[in-house]
Every structure is written in C-alpha cells, then in structure tokens.
Amino acid sequence: MHAPRHPLPLRGPLQPRALRRGQHWRSPQDAYFAARAWVPWLLAGAVLLGAIGLGGGLLHAQQAVHAGSAYRIIYVHVPATWVALFLFALFAGWSVIGLLSSSRLAPLMTEALAPTGALFALLALWTGSLWGKPVSGLWWEWDARRIADLALLSAFVAAVIVREVVDDTRHADHLTAVLALVGTMVVAAALSSVALLPQVNGRHNAQFAGPAGGGTRLMTALAATTVSFALYASAAALMRLRCVILERERAAEWVDTQRVRR
Amino acid sequence: MSNDASVYVWGCYAIGVALPAIELALLCVRARLIRQHLGWGRRYGGAAPPRTAGTAAAGAHGDDNGPSADLQPRPRPAAGARQPPGQAEPG
C-alpha cells in the first residue's frame, strides 16, 4: 500500500502568524515555502526604495566641495559596500552555525548568500574605481576600504569556486565555513585599520565628507538605497536558496510529492 | 554636472542597476529550469504538460519509481503498465 500523500506544508501567498513565529525556517522544506512568500514583498520594497534613493542621489544631490558631481557615485558605492559587509556577516554567521550544529539549513544559506555577496562586493569595488578616477585620478588605491572590498570579493568568489570544484557537499560545506572565518579575520583587520591608521585613510575620509548643508537629503537617499540593496540581496539570496534546496533535496519525498500533485 | 564626471556617475548608476537585474534574470531562469526538470506543476512555476487520461490514471495509482537522481524528468508509467522489478504493484 502507498503511504497517503501529505498536503503542502504552506499554502497560499502568506501565512503571517506562522512566519512571525519563525517556525517555517527550521528545515529546508519549510524554508522553501516560507521563502516563496517573502520574495515578492522584498523585491517590491527594493524597487520602490531603489527608485527613491537612486533617483534622489542622481537628480537632487548637491555637489561636494572636493569631488564635484562625482560625489553622486557614493549613493551607489557606499550602500553596495554596506550590503556586501552585511551579507558577509550573514555568510560568516551561518557558517559558524553550520560548524557548531547539525543544521541542514546553514550550508544551504551560505551557498545561497555567496554569489549575491560577490555581486555586491564587485559593485563596491567597481564603483570605488569609478569614484577614484575623477576624484584622485587613479583607478586603484591601496587604502583599507578598497582592500576590505577586495577581501570580501575574494572570500565570496572562493566560496563559489569551492562549491563548484569540490564534489562532496559535506566537505564543500566545511571548506566554505572555514573560508568564511578566515575571510572574517581579513576583513575585520582591514576595516579596523581605517580607525587605527587615520593618517593613511585621512584623504579618503575627507573626500567622503560630502556637501555642506545637504545632510538630511544625503542621509535619506543613502538610507533608501542601502535598504533597497539589502532587500534586493535578501530576495536574491532567498530565490537562490529555493534553487539550492531543490537541487539538494531532489531525492526527498516532499519534492516528489509536489511533482505528482499537478 | 561636468561632462568628465558625468560619464563616471552614469556608469556607476548603470552598473548599480544592471548587475542586480542580470542576477535576478539568471535566478528566474535557473529556478524555472530546475522545476521543469523535476516535473513540478504549473502552480510552482514549472511548465506542466496537459493532464491526459493516461497521466490521470497514473497519478491516481501513484508513482513509486522513487525520486530522480539526476534532475531528469521521468516518464510516467501508463495505467496497467508493468512495474519495474523490486517495486510493489500499487493497490
């Protein structure tokens, strides 16, 4: 006899009470359906806030004393850097959880976060070069922020490469987690040098000081773009998480159940 | 906005929008391909084939071939078809 087919674990566009309690993020199966509910809202918020932040930065920002109109570049560069750091914190956090516990979700999360983190680290590096050329005449400067961006990009790209090269998924999970911890130390050292060696990074800080009198508008546009990038990054990571879950759990009964129910 | 700086500013905003858009498009394609290979229904984003009398009968009897190992769609056995060795006859 066949076992009775189980109903879907999460139906409908949203089940807010269950999502608030967080009980749908405990297993890959639950996370798959919970992520499905979150992605449209995250993308909608990202588009709305992105239009506000980027539009405000591009059209209404005042010119800075040091950088002129090139100052508008920071409305993309700074949020991209912050979101890359935010994603790396999540990446490292899930790596630690994966190392210390037997969570099935943790390695999937790290696998889902790495490519999006690499994208934002690349964006931070690229826009940093676009900032440096008109302001200082150089595409690249060896200051702490650029090194931190480079370390972030290297760690994320290395994590993606490890996933592609190592066939054993458990081995790849452990390697990625160790990589995340090493990357954390490098990024932390680079960022702390910004505070510890202000004479080295002083010129960069002065250039980022911004236009006089534009504080409120500047911070509003920066905050809107940062939240927009963060919402987009969360949506992209959840979309990739759903793909990774299906790829890894393709032998699970719940995946087969969905295939039959059509 | 001076012409020199505007090139860098517009380039910066262009890649700030284009890179995430490209990633999003690739993710949508990847998700759709996976669901198609798994044979998931239209409700979950896959392109389900039309339900015919043969597939309806097979669905009613269940499908005990086990999950796919290589993400390839499996042919659904017709009603009354002989099961592979080692698998019980439904019902």
Side-chain angles (χ1 to χ4, degrees):
Chain A
M1 290 295 290
H2 292 271
R5 300 203 179 281
H6 299 292
L8 290 174
L10 183 64
R11 287 191 175 190
L14 271 180
Q15 286 192 349
R17 283 175 57 194
L19 291 179
R20 270 203 301 273
R21 278 189 238 118
Q23 65 188 25
H24 284 289
W25 295 96
R26 289 180 183 166
S27 72
Q29 176 187 1
D30 297 337
Y32 180 86
F33 291 100
R36 174 174 179 247
W38 279 98
V39 166
W41 298 103
L42 294 172
L43 284 178
V47 170
L48 182 67
L49 289 174
I52 294 171
L54 293 177
L58 192 60
L59 301 176
H60 301 300
Q62 300 175 10
Q63 294 203 0
V65 175
H66 295 284
S69 62
Y71 183 73
R72 290 175 168 88
I73 290 174
I74 76 159
Y75 291 95
V76 178
H77 173 69
V78 172
T81 306
W82 283 346
V83 171
L85 282 170
F86 166 69
L87 291 175
F88 192 77
L90 288 178
F91 180 68
W94 279 108
S95 298
V96 170
I97 292 173
L99 280 177
L100 298 181
S101 73
S102 58
S103 166
R104 290 168 60 204
L105 194 58
L108 304 180
M109 282 289 194
T110 58
E111 186 172 353
L113 284 167
T116 303
L119 182 139
F120 277 97
L122 175 66
L123 192 57
L125 261 184
W126 200 344
T127 54
S129 290
L130 289 173
W131 159 269
K133 181 62 177 172
V135 172
S136 61
L138 297 172
W139 288 106
W140 178 262
E141 284 181 288
W142 287 101
D143 66 21
R145 287 185 179 86
R146 311 298 297 280
I147 294 171
D149 289 342
L150 188 61
L152 281 174
L153 179 62
S154 303
F156 281 130
V157 169
V160 173
I161 290 174
V162 163
R163 296 282 182 191
E164 295 295 324
V165 170
V166 179
D167 290 332
D168 183 0
T169 51
R170 287 190 64 81
H171 193 200
D173 292 342
H174 280 101
L175 276 178
T176 305
V178 172
L179 202 61
L181 296 181
V182 173
T184 302
M185 288 186 280
V186 175
V187 172
L191 290 178
S192 61
S193 75
V194 177
L196 296 175
L197 301 171
Q199 68 276 15
V200 175
N201 302 289
R203 189 161 62 93
H204 204 75
N205 290 335
Q207 290 166 354
F208 270 168
T216 305
R217 188 176 291 173
L218 164 75
M219 290 311 295
T220 303
L222 263 185
T225 311
T226 304
V227 176
S228 164
F229 279 4
L231 291 178
Y232 165 78
S234 304
L238 288 181
M239 288 175 72
R240 187 173 294 104
L241 175 70
R242 299 183 79 216
C243 295
V244 172
I245 286 173
L246 281 188
E247 287 170 349
R248 287 214 195 184
E249 300 271 315
R250 60 182 180 267
E253 182 188 0
W254 69 272
V255 175
D256 199 44
T257 303
Q258 305 304 319
R259 188 182 68 80
V260 174
R261 284 177 61 95
R262 63 187 182 195
Chain B
M1 192 182 297
S2 66
N3 287 332
D4 286 344
S6 69
V7 172
Y8 299 104
V9 173
W10 283 106
C12 172
Y13 278 69
I15 62 170
V17 173
L19 284 183
I22 291 170
E23 185 195 24
L24 198 61
L26 291 176
L27 278 173
C28 289
V29 170
R30 180 182 177 187
R32 189 170 182 82
L33 287 176
I34 289 174
R35 291 196 199 100
Q36 279 183 349
H37 281 289
L38 285 172
W40 279 27
R42 192 183 304 278
R43 179 178 172 186
Y44 298 98
R51 189 179 179 88
T52 62
T55 56
H61 282 267
D63 184 352
D64 259 4
N65 290 332
S68 172
D70 54 1
L71 283 178
Q72 293 299 314
R74 289 173 292 151
R76 188 177 294 279
R82 186 181 176 189
Q83 292 290 323
Q87 296 192 353
E89 191 69 24

